[in-house]
Amino acid sequence: MQKKILVTGGCGFIGSHTIALLIEKGYDVVSLDNFSNSHKEALKGLEKLTGRTIANLEVNLCDRLETMKAITEAAPFDAVIHFAAYKSVGESMAKPFMYYQNNIPSVINIAEAAVRNGIQHFIFSSSCTVYGDAEVIPVTENTPIGNALSPYGLTKITAEAQLTDVNKRYKWFKPTFLRYFNPAGAHESALIGEASRRPSTNLVPIICEVVAGKREKLAVFGDDYQTRDGSCIRDYVHVMDLAEAHISALELSLIQESKTDIESFNLGIGEGVSVLEAISAFEQVTGKKVNYAIGEKRPGDVAAIFADYSKAAKVLNWKPKRTIEDIMETAWKWEQVRW
Ligand code: UFG
């Protein structure tokens, strides 16, 4: 029988790309999104892409009763994939209460709704930020959870801890933590892509906006880090590779019904790319110059972090297929048509 999956944040960046793939793989999908940081056009893009009408529950996950009612009415579901959250590190530094008040109650309420409705499988959008400023890189899932470097990071660490506690009480309830490195790029069709309501603070969308003339200049945050060219090193992973990892994690959880241990997976490409290398990858792929200047270091940035994804490779049989060039090519294609 067709499995029915609830995707919160279904109109957001990774959520919309994961829905596209879930539908392609034959799942019945219900999106949950109140468009607080996304656009209704994402549903239209998904409908064009998949040829299906996508059901969406317009629910505020911070409202417990509203969440409980909506999920109970739309149930049964075989699984929940929980993306909905605020995600900007810098914004969280400026507005910590906003991050705590949104990211924490929403995960608690959706987890409670899952438990009350007997939904066993729960895939949670986590982040490499849970490792803090790791002493040894690449980081594995055994790297200790670090001190949070931002309120955003603290919400991810807290949510993982809370879901772990819930699993101790309700042993059948099975969360999986997917720890993303730097998600970027867009669907090859350019029918969906990243389109938060608030200005982006991430490198790849900013590069695209500068080249599109929507911003004047990119500031490279520091060029005297202890890295090969002095700029920060990150692990940029294509959003469609992430979508594929979600399907693999979901399928593993669905197959292993009786196994209730919590699993965590690092999702990155396992290679670091510096900010200056990212700029030159963009220039090489698109033939366009990026107007940039070296600026001040950004508080909270670590010099370098990248993934050891060998656990995901072994257990999920997942391998990222797309490169930094694919990221730049699809992000630029999307930038030119985005709503
Ligand atoms: N950068 C610039 N200029 C900009 C924007 C970014 O030089 O205008 C640099 C940053 O210093 C960093 C790199 O580009 O070295 C990537 O920065 P992003 O803001 O795109 O991403 P972060 O690495 O800060 O954040 C990512 C994820 C978060 C996650 C965090 C953990 O987006 O979800 O990594 O480190 F929590």
Side-chain angles (χ1 to χ4, degrees):
M1 226 191 53
Q2 210 183 16
K3 301 274 185 198
K4 189 170 152 196
I5 316 297
L6 178 68
V7 179
T8 77
C11 296
F13 180 36
I14 311 174
S16 58
H17 290 74
T18 302
I19 287 183
L21 201 57
L22 282 165
I23 292 176
E24 195 185 310
K25 301 268 179 195
Y27 288 93
D28 183 10
V29 177
V30 174
S31 163
L32 185 157
D33 203 305
N34 67 350
F35 309 110
S36 61
N37 195 25
S38 62
H39 296 264
K40 286 196 173 137
E41 281 84 347
L43 284 177
K44 294 198 192 110
L46 276 171
E47 291 182 347
K48 206 163 166 194
L49 187 60
T50 61
R52 300 281 173 81
T53 305
I54 317 270
N56 182 65
L57 308 175
E58 211 170 316
V59 170
N60 175 8
L61 287 175
C62 294
D63 185 323
R64 177 175 174 267
L65 291 181
E66 188 184 329
T67 303
M68 238 32 99
K69 187 168 176 287
I71 308 300
T72 306
E73 279 173 12
F77 289 102
D78 294 285
V80 174
I81 309 183
H82 179 53
F83 292 103
Y86 293 154
K87 58 167 187 173
S88 162
V89 175
E91 186 181 52
S92 80
M93 303 272 221
K95 299 177 179 170
F97 291 119
M98 185 174 123
Y99 272 67
Y100 301 140
Q101 283 156 358
N102 184 70
N103 288 8
I104 304 283
S106 51
V107 72
I108 295 305
N109 291 339
I110 190 69
E112 185 182 359
V115 167
R116 303 261 174 258
N117 285 284
I119 307 169
Q120 181 181 5
H121 308 282
F122 191 97
I123 312 290
F124 176 62
S125 268
S126 191
S127 164
C128 67
T129 196
V130 300
Y131 300 116
D133 194 356
E135 272 172 31
V136 180
I137 53 171
V139 293
T140 73
E141 293 78 2
N142 295 326
T143 298
I145 298 300
N147 290 323
L149 299 174
S150 68
Y152 163 76
L154 187 56
T155 68
K156 293 296 176 191
I157 293 173
T158 307
E160 285 198 7
Q162 289 170 331
L163 290 169
T164 303
D165 262 2
V166 173
N167 163 270
K168 281 185 197 142
R169 165 64 181 83
Y170 302 96
K171 294 201 168 50
W172 55 269
F173 172 72
K174 200 163 86 165
T176 302
F177 303 146
L178 300 185
R179 296 175 180 156
Y180 319 141
F181 282 66
N182 286 57
H187 194 274
E188 287 79 1
S189 67
L191 287 168
I192 51 172
E194 175 151 44
S196 305
R197 283 190 179 273
R198 292 194 288 281
S200 185
T201 55
N202 291 120
L203 180 67
V204 177
I206 291 177
I207 291 178
C208 292
E209 287 174 15
V210 168
V211 176
K214 296 176 185 164
R215 295 186 193 227
E216 203 202 324
K217 200 179 261 190
L218 165 75
V220 172
F221 296 145
D223 70 344
D224 59 355
Y225 283 98
Q226 296 293 309
T227 58
R228 52 185 173 259
D229 62 18
S231 65
C232 287
I233 288 183
R234 295 287 181 277
D235 182 332
Y236 298 91
V237 53
H238 196 285
V239 64
M240 287 310 296
D241 280 326
L242 285 184
E244 285 170 13
H246 285 77
I247 310 287
S248 305
L250 173 69
E251 284 174 353
L252 182 73
S253 192
L254 289 168
I255 289 165
Q256 297 185 332
E257 253 186 38
S258 57
K259 200 166 165 275
T260 58
D261 309 348
I262 295 180
E263 294 282 4
S264 314
F265 297 100
N266 284 346
L267 300 178
I269 68 162
E271 276 169 42
V273 171
S274 77
V275 176
L276 296 173
E277 288 164 352
I279 294 170
S280 78
F282 182 94
E283 291 181 337
Q284 186 225 314
V285 165
T286 64
K288 307 220 173 262
K289 282 288 300 158
V290 180
N291 184 18
Y292 74 87
I294 306 300
E296 296 288 307
K297 285 182 174 168
R298 181 173 66 175
D301 263 343
V302 299
I305 186 161
F306 55 96
D308 177 332
Y309 72 88
S310 48
K311 182 178 172 196
K314 190 165 155 226
V315 181
L316 299 179
N317 199 17
W318 174 80
K319 203 170 173 312
K321 300 183 195 115
R322 297 157 184 93
T323 61
I324 186 74
E325 285 77 19
D326 298 324
I327 285 175
M328 295 307 187
E329 194 179 337
T330 53
W332 175 237
K333 197 170 155 196
W334 164 246
E335 178 61 43
Q336 295 168 86
V337 296
R338 58 170 284 191
W339 48 77

